Amino acid sequence: MSGLKTNNAVIRWIEYRLPIFSFLDDAVGSGYPTPRNLNYWWNFGSLAGLALVILMLTGIMLAMQYTPHVIFAFDSVERIMRDVNSGWLLRYIHMNGGSFFFIVVYIHIFRGLYYGSYKAPRELLWILGVVILLLMMATAFMGYVLPWGQMSFWGATVITNLFSAIPLIGESIVTWLWGGFAVDNPTLNRFYALHYLLPFVIVGAVVLHIWALHRFGSSNPLGIEANGPQDKIPFHPYYTAKDAFGVGVFLVLFAAIVFFAPNLFGEPDNYIPANPLSTPAHIVPEWYFLPYYAILRAIPDKLLGVVAMFGSILILFVLPWIDRSPVRSAKFRPIYKQFFWIFLADCIVLGYIGAKPPEGIFLIVGRLATAYYFLHFFIIFVLSYVERPRPLPSSIGEAVLKGGGAAPPAAMAGEKA
Amino acid sequence: MAHSASPTHSGDGETRRDFLYLAAAGFGALGTAVAVWPLIDSMNPSAEVLALSSTEVDLAPIEVGQRITVVWRGKPIFIDRRSQEAIDAARAVSVEDLPDPQADEDRVQKAEWLVMIGICTHLGCIPKGQTAGDPRGEFGGWFCPCHGSHYDTAGRIRKGPAPKNLFIPPYEFTADTALFIG
């Protein structure tokens, strides 16, 4: 027991037989010491968890009203919008919940990139995070197919066709994925089954992610390990309170979109029922896929385009071994910090290009941005050898109490390596 | 390795034991694969989907110069009863200069009837040109509005990002005016 003290006899009785209270206390309570200097960028992990819970709750309610059949799917969604009690609210929360999940997770990822959270000994924690991202993308893609609108159908067609780029067995794989010779009822059925299943797989991956997190605890903005108890504070009440504040801000923004601009992230074409014989003029994926779509289209060869698109995510798996600098936080890496912002800008440019037709200037910018995306990883590999980091503070407590990162010259970079 | 305590038989014993381990594991892996296959195969096209995998078309009502669209395996099939000018235009091109070189003769069974899968080979859109008033592109064939691919009167890619000519489905003429696709 982690010093769990209570006079409640019922809790004591349960705790003796199933130590769940001390388990929770160690996980998210006063028994979990956390660096005292976490800033608001550390709120986004718990926000991602909240978004997942919101999505699963609304999703289960929607599943009770939805019909996964090509003839009925579109109408059953319209019925949810018009006839089901609060159906419009459930659907708008679920729809925009997906977008907010990605917003929160992308911020969470870039936080990790800026502060070097992926470095030893947290490589597996990072890798599990990338696995969660891939699962999220698969889940989101299949969910988008379910309303069976024009974008649902043609998005499913284009994305499943990516697998046809695989030499020799590609066509058989696509037929297998479809359960037919085009996206049709069997495809819709299995996507529905998998869209229901995958969130639970995500929950499993999240449990592993948190388990790995608790092995060494959160990293922190300084990127140095805590020297002792004076560098840490209990998770509860300090970070439960801070996370709760973040939840409040998140819910305000989320409600603003759900109630005042519920279709902001959507495509109007998806309110037209799917028609296998007529393609919309511009097929655009959901916003959170746009950078990958831009990479796919930047490369004129179909197979290489698909390889580059998947490679843009898979390269994150080996990031802990590409960036070899012993200093974690960009705070003490003046050159890396600049490249971080260039990389972030590059990803936003890719997202913008992904929404545009691949012609003229958009194609050229898309190709340059794609090339830079991969070049970035080479740059930070070289940087980890040539960059001279600033001196690190000798402890979290010292930096916090002095109110800055300035440290005596004795605490040189590399000391923690 | 409990038996390896006896040094005289350790070599023999370990070999036999290793074999048993490998055989047991191999048999288990094989059995698992056999058991998993029906699960995977259940996702392949089912019998009733396969039963719909051919389409028959009566060509009699189609006039010269008319284009119709039929559905085969859920995909649009473009059928074009080509005029003599369209055939001549398709055959006047020098084949080597095409992005995906193919002679018009290799794309049709009867010069008059062009039968193709109406899906752009770029990203799977459906090209325009089947109904009157549609844009037909610079070569009088089909035009894909998604990313601007132009196809000629033989359905060959002439300009734009698509890598291949429109695909030809397997088909045969079962009578003069009866087409069997599939």
Side-chain angles (χ1 to χ4, degrees), chain A residues 14-78:
Chain A
I14 295 173
E15 175 70 21
Y16 181 67
R17 287 153 181 85
L18 176 72
I20 189 168
F21 295 106
S22 58
F23 176 80
L24 287 175
D25 192 54
D26 285 345
V28 289
S30 56
Y32 177 42
T34 313
R36 62 196 282 180
N37 60 335
L38 299 189
N39 58 31
Y40 275 113
W41 298 112
W42 263 259
N43 276 54
F44 290 88
S46 66
L47 288 181
L50 175 70
L52 179 60
V53 169
I54 290 174
L55 281 166
M56 291 178 76
L57 282 178
T58 50
I60 289 166
M61 304 323 288
L62 289 169
M64 296 180 191
Q65 309 286 348
Y66 170 78
T67 313
H69 187 283
V70 288
I71 296 173
F72 306 109
F74 188 88
D75 290 344
S76 77
V77 172
E78 285 309 300

Side-chain angles (χ1 to χ4, degrees), chain A residues 154 158 176 179 181 190 279 358, chain B residues 40 43-44 75 123-124 126 147:
Chain A
W154 290 100
V158 169
W176 176 74
F181 303 102
R190 63 191 56 185
T279 316
Chain B
I40 295 172
M43 286 174 69
N44 269 320
K75 299 174 184 184
L123 284 174
I126 308 226
H147 305 110

Side-chain angles (χ1 to χ4, degrees), chain B residues 23 25 48-50 78-79 81 104 121-122 129 138 140 143 151 153-154 160 163 168 171 174:
Chain B
E48 108 280 4
V49 170
L50 291 172
F78 291 175
I79 299 174
R81 184 171 184 183
D104 182 64
T121 55
H122 180 226
E138 291 176 19
F143 172 69
Y151 295 92
T153 53
I168 308 290
Y171 69 93
T174 48

